[in-house]
Amino acid sequence: MDRSGRIAIGRLAKHTGTNIETIRYYERVGLWPAPARSAGGYRLYGTAHLKRLNFIRRARTLGFSIGEVRTLLRLADERKRPCAEVRVVAEAHLADVRTKIADLKVMERVLRETVARCADGTGSHCLLIDALYRDEKPDRQVSAPRSLSGARGLR
């Protein structure tokens, strides 16, 4: 830190384990105010930036989107910190996480079954390769052809 208690972006990046471009991106998308500049035009970050960056990094590690992080920061900045509103954001995110976990469990099952069918590796016809070549429109649901998933469709 310099005499004013500010550090340059490189030191902030090293201190927090955050990529410099990520730090600049957070500034561009408005997750924090632009830092002061040195006489040479370098960004100089203070303690408030460090705290806010740690908040953002922890929220992103938990899978919160940039929009959700923005909302959480707005709520954190409010004097009364309305816990009920934070809870709404967290509950919605928790529901998304649970959906992703369910989707991943289905994908795991299908891949496990496919790998078991391909275990001997002697055939020239591969169900997994065929499934990947299928021309299906991507959507929110995970799907596999009947030959991969049996009679059950993946959801």
Side-chain angles (χ1 to χ4, degrees):
M1 291 204 172
D2 70 5
R3 286 180 282 178
S4 67
R6 302 203 176 262
I7 60 174
I9 195 168
R11 288 197 52 209
L12 179 66
K14 282 183 183 177
H15 183 72
T16 61
T18 306
N19 184 293
I20 290 173
E21 288 306 314
T22 302
I23 293 170
R24 290 179 181 144
Y25 171 74
Y26 291 156
E27 182 183 334
R28 275 195 314 273
V29 298
L31 292 182
W32 63 9
R37 299 275 182 157
S38 70
Y42 294 102
R43 292 172 170 89
L44 295 174
Y45 297 91
T47 305
H49 286 101
L50 176 63
K51 286 181 178 181
R52 200 161 181 98
L53 181 56
N54 283 329
F55 182 103
I56 294 166
R57 289 186 71 239
R58 287 183 183 122
R60 296 292 288 153
T61 297
L62 291 173
F64 285 99
S65 69
I66 293 293
E68 290 168 328
V69 172
R70 184 176 285 111
T71 299
L72 291 170
L73 284 167
R74 180 185 51 77
L75 293 170
D77 290 342
E78 291 180 8
R79 295 182 131 247
K80 294 181 182 180
R81 296 188 183 191
C83 193
E85 290 181 51
V86 172
R87 181 183 173 124
V88 169
V89 174
E91 284 177 338
H93 185 64
L94 179 59
D96 289 343
V97 168
R98 287 179 173 153
T99 299
K100 288 176 186 176
I101 289 170
D103 288 347
L104 286 170
K105 286 180 180 180
V106 170
M107 284 188 266
E108 177 192 29
R109 179 183 51 78
V110 170
L111 285 169
R112 185 179 58 243
E113 291 170 2
T114 302
V115 168
R117 286 190 199 116
C118 298
D120 64 6
T122 58
S124 62
H125 182 75
C126 179
L127 296 175
L128 181 59
I129 296 294
D130 290 347
L132 295 174
Y133 270 116
R134 287 184 70 150
D135 184 22
E136 295 179 355
K137 297 208 187 305
D139 62 359
R140 171 76 178 90
Q141 297 178 343
V142 177
S143 61
R146 289 180 65 95
S147 60
L148 278 181
S149 63
R152 291 166 274 162
L154 303 180
R155 293 192 161 87

